[in-house]
Amino acid sequence: MFLPFFLRLKEEKVPVTLREYLALLQGLQAGLVDFDPDGFYYLARTTLVKDERFIDRFDRVFSEIFGGIFSGDANKGIDAGIIPEDWLRRLGEKHLSDEDKKLIEALGGFEKLMETLRQRLAEQKERHQGGNKWIGTAGTSPFGAYGYNPEGVRIGQNESRHRKAVKVWDQREFRNLDDRVELGTRNIKVALRRLRRFVREGAAEELDLSGTIRSTAEHGYLDVKTRPERRNAVKLLMFFDIGGSMDDHVREIEELFSAARSEFRHMEYFYFHNCPYEKVWKDNQRRHADAMATLDVIRTFGPDYRLIFVGDAAMSPYEVTHPGGSVEHWNAESGATWLTRLTDHFPRHLWINPLPETRWDYTMSVGLIRNLIGNRMHALTLGGLEAAARELAR
């Protein structure tokens, strides 16, 4: 049953060998992960994946091959007593209508929200469910999980549901974009090639073979011709927003990422979440342990790099305007401060937004970001990319 798994990994260009496959079988025969699906996943990943770049492809193949193996008829007759308590707690989750949601008021500002959270943490002594004040579940309190509030702090919930949280207490994992994704259309590559055509440089030092042959034939003697060496002079630095609402746009962003990697010789990239702050990273699996200071990015890459931010710019406005406004951590300086530092250092910059342009005016943070980058925001469309190429070539 594991041979199709091995062969699919090979098809997806994950560099697994027969020796690694046999090591996985030996681990199973030794009983390292009997009746433990999570254990089997980690054993398989440890034995078969030797480079973190391929973890995302491995995960997709694992889900394809084993995704349904532990569901279906095998679950009939399960003793209710072994159902995890957190599953039962979610049964009390409220399902609110649009009218109900309009009746729930926000606390009124970032500072008020943070101060109230500190008070709740100091006063609360027990678990709560279904209420509107304490930190709990399935209610309308600004603090907790599996409920609803137009502006709150999400605590103890594994994924976003309403995308209303101002801050997220839980550590989250984001997957890397796969630069191997094949484009469904050539439009993105065509648009990016326009940027390369705008910026060519070199000296008359490259042999013009066809010109030399033609001139020699015309004159009857060897007449060597040269031409300016045509080489790609564009240096590109791309910052990709990852996770949260950007999960809706992974396919389009992977296509853009793949196209940029294939079209530009001098390209560097980093990830951020919602808004750039003091750190960015290159590997989403190790972003908490192996991040790069944004100031080091500024010191490392010169102002001759073109800087492209890629993201939907959809976030709480506090993330842009307030210290401590980041949804994931307590940032000492606001997102606006860091955006200004980056755009001051890289004068040729812009923002590519996968959201349809008709929706930009409905999100306050999009307007804030557009103002901060001098209205240099373009849609992720063929026309938008053409306009972006012309903008960066100025």
Side-chain angles (χ1 to χ4, degrees):
M1 67 178 293
F2 300 114
L3 187 57
F5 178 44
F6 173 72
L7 295 177
R8 281 291 292 128
L9 288 172
K10 299 285 284 186
E11 290 175 5
E12 290 297 314
K13 309 300 182 185
V14 179
V16 293
T17 66
L18 185 59
R19 180 186 297 274
E20 292 160 349
Y21 175 64
L22 293 175
L24 171 62
L25 296 182
Q26 289 173 354
L28 294 172
Q29 290 173 348
L32 297 180
V33 290
D34 285 346
F35 311 112
D36 182 359
D38 289 339
F40 170 65
Y41 165 79
Y42 286 111
L43 175 63
R45 198 178 81 174
T46 300
T47 54
L48 299 177
V49 181
K50 302 303 181 185
D51 190 323
E52 289 182 342
R53 291 178 299 170
F54 301 105
I55 288 179
D56 188 49
R57 297 182 210 174
F58 172 87
D59 285 349
R60 290 201 297 266
V61 173
F62 188 91
S63 177
E64 174 189 332
I65 300 297
F66 301 108
I69 196 170
F70 303 107
S71 62
D73 293 340
N75 287 334
K76 289 184 178 179
I78 289 181
D79 181 2
I82 65 172
I83 297 177
E85 183 183 356
D86 62 316
W87 292 13
L88 296 175
R89 288 179 180 178
R90 294 187 195 177
L91 295 177
E93 177 180 344
K94 287 188 176 180
H95 298 277
L96 303 174
S97 67
D98 292 338
E99 291 73 17
D100 293 333
K101 292 176 181 178
K102 291 177 182 178
L103 298 176
I104 303 170
E105 296 182 356
L107 279 177
F110 181 77
E111 290 84 359
K112 179 66 174 177
L113 189 67
M114 292 297 101
E115 177 60 30
T116 305
L117 175 58
R118 281 191 286 269
Q119 294 176 4
R120 296 289 189 273
L121 289 172
E123 298 170 4
Q124 185 166 336
K125 304 301 181 184
E126 59 185 8
R127 182 184 175 277
H128 288 266
Q129 177 169 309
N132 60 7
K133 175 181 178 180
W134 299 106
I135 302 170
T137 58
T140 58
S141 166
F143 316 108
Y146 306 106
Y148 175 83
N149 191 280
E151 189 176 84
V153 178
R154 198 175 85 215
I155 302 173
Q157 182 176 308
N158 61 350
E159 62 184 358
S160 176
R161 295 166 60 249
H162 303 292
R163 291 176 177 165
K164 295 288 187 179
V166 172
K167 261 196 180 306
V168 176
W169 198 272
D170 314 284
Q171 178 175 320
R172 294 183 289 178
E173 298 295 338
F174 303 138
R175 70 183 185 88
N176 295 332
L177 296 177
D178 191 344
D179 63 354
R180 189 200 53 153
V181 169
E182 289 297 324
L183 293 176
T185 172
R186 296 182 64 248
N187 285 347
I188 293 180
K189 284 189 176 182
V190 170
L192 291 176
R193 283 173 184 162
R194 288 184 62 88
L195 177 58
R196 294 203 306 172
R197 288 203 303 271
F198 283 132
V199 188
R200 298 281 190 177
E201 67 179 11
E205 56 186 18
E206 181 180 71
L207 175 64
D208 183 356
L209 182 58
S210 60
T212 298
I213 294 173
R214 183 172 56 253
S215 182
T216 299
E218 290 174 352
H219 295 100
Y221 57 85
L222 180 63
D223 187 10
V224 177
K225 297 293 183 181
T226 61
R227 64 186 177 189
E229 179 187 6
R230 296 179 63 82
R231 56 193 176 90
N232 183 5
V234 176
K235 295 179 180 179
L236 197 61
L237 180 61
M238 301 190 75
F239 276 27
F240 290 94
D241 184 4
I242 199 78
S245 59
M246 283 299 293
D247 289 346
D248 297 341
H249 310 288
V250 166
R251 178 64 187 180
E252 305 99 292
I253 303 305
E254 282 186 334
E255 290 177 353
L256 177 63
F257 186 33
S258 181
R261 288 293 293 267
S262 66
E263 290 298 317
F264 294 97
R265 181 182 306 173
H266 306 291
M267 176 195 161
E268 292 290 341
Y269 69 92
F270 294 94
Y271 296 120
F272 67 98
H273 183 52
N274 285 350
C275 191
Y277 296 109
E278 65 276 7
K279 291 182 180 180
V280 292
W281 57 91
K282 301 201 71 167
D283 188 338
N284 287 301
Q285 299 291 331
R286 294 180 52 80
R287 67 194 187 95
H288 297 288
D290 195 16
M292 183 174 184
T294 306
L295 285 178
D296 287 342
V297 174
I298 293 174
R299 297 186 188 105
T300 302
F301 301 100
D304 55 331
Y305 273 81
R306 274 86 165 163
L307 175 60
I308 298 179
F309 300 96
V310 182
D312 60 9
M315 66 196 86
S316 164
Y318 304 134
E319 298 207 46
V320 182
T321 60
H322 280 61
S326 167
V327 73
E328 292 195 304
H329 74 294
W330 193 270
N331 49 300
E333 296 178 291
S334 68
T337 300
W338 286 106
L339 272 175
T340 302
R341 285 196 182 109
L342 287 164
T343 54
D344 284 348
H345 181 73
F346 300 102
R348 286 174 289 191
H349 60 267
L350 55 83
W351 191 293
I352 294 176
N353 195 326
L355 279 178
E357 192 167 355
T358 54
R359 294 170 54 187
W360 291 0
D361 291 337
Y362 294 98
T363 305
M364 183 185 298
S365 58
V366 175
L368 292 171
I369 295 293
R370 290 179 72 183
N371 290 334
L372 284 168
I373 63 171
N375 208 32
R376 299 179 184 180
M377 183 175 286
H378 301 273
L380 184 52
T381 61
L382 178 58
L385 290 175
E386 294 272 4
R390 291 192 294 270
E391 179 105 52
L392 288 179
R394 292 173 184 170

